[in-house]
Amino acid sequence: AKALTFVAMASGQDLDANAEFVRLADRVVEVPSGSNKNNYANVELIIDVAEREAVDAVWPGWGHASEYPELPDGLAKRNITFIGPSGGPMRALGDKIAASILAQTARVSSIPWSGDGITCDPKVVIETGAIPPELFRKAMVTTEEECIAAAERIGYPVMLKASEGGGGKGIR
């Protein structure tokens, strides 16, 4: 008997293409084709397939639903292991300020910024999915005076970046 059974979800396109993951699977569950919202990015579908197939764990690959905190949260409610980060850190990583504080907490080298040196208790982030508000506020600049003080501390030239919004326009 095998120690592991590899169950894969596959769209019609992947089945037709005889994708490698399909060939390697012990069992394949066909899912709707088309846009990834119909299949690989569909959290409800992934959880449903995991339950119907009575799997012990789900590894969602890269991209698609692997980036949605609702997937590990939903699987955990059904006692199915998510092979990846829990929902809390995923939520925090979706915010530029929170992600930078998490990186600093993990001792990842960072460029100077308004919140450099600020760290947090990772257990709080895992449990709540957020950086404590007082640390978040401490990392932000919200006034012209705070901006000038941060720029003088960091050193010129500086670059200003919104922590949210902007529609993917980035720095101009």
Side-chain angles (χ1 to χ4, degrees), residues 104-156:
Q104 291 171 172
T105 299
R107 297 191 175 124
V108 174
S109 295
S110 302
I111 62 170
W113 67 291
S114 58
D116 56 11
I118 296 174
T119 60
C120 64
D121 181 350
K123 292 178 189 166
V124 171
V125 178
I126 290 169
E127 291 169 8
T128 66
I131 299 296
E134 66 278 4
L135 292 179
F136 194 88
R137 281 190 295 278
K138 188 177 174 185
M140 294 172 36
V141 291
T142 59
T143 68
E144 183 178 343
E145 293 77 21
E146 290 173 340
C147 186
I148 291 169
E152 288 177 353
R153 180 182 59 78
I154 292 166
Y156 292 94

Side-chain angles (χ1 to χ4, degrees), residues 148-169:
I148 291 169
E152 288 177 353
R153 180 182 59 78
I154 292 166
Y156 292 94
V158 296
M159 179 171 43
L160 302 180
K161 176 94 173 96
S163 67
E164 58 185 50
K169 294 181 178 45

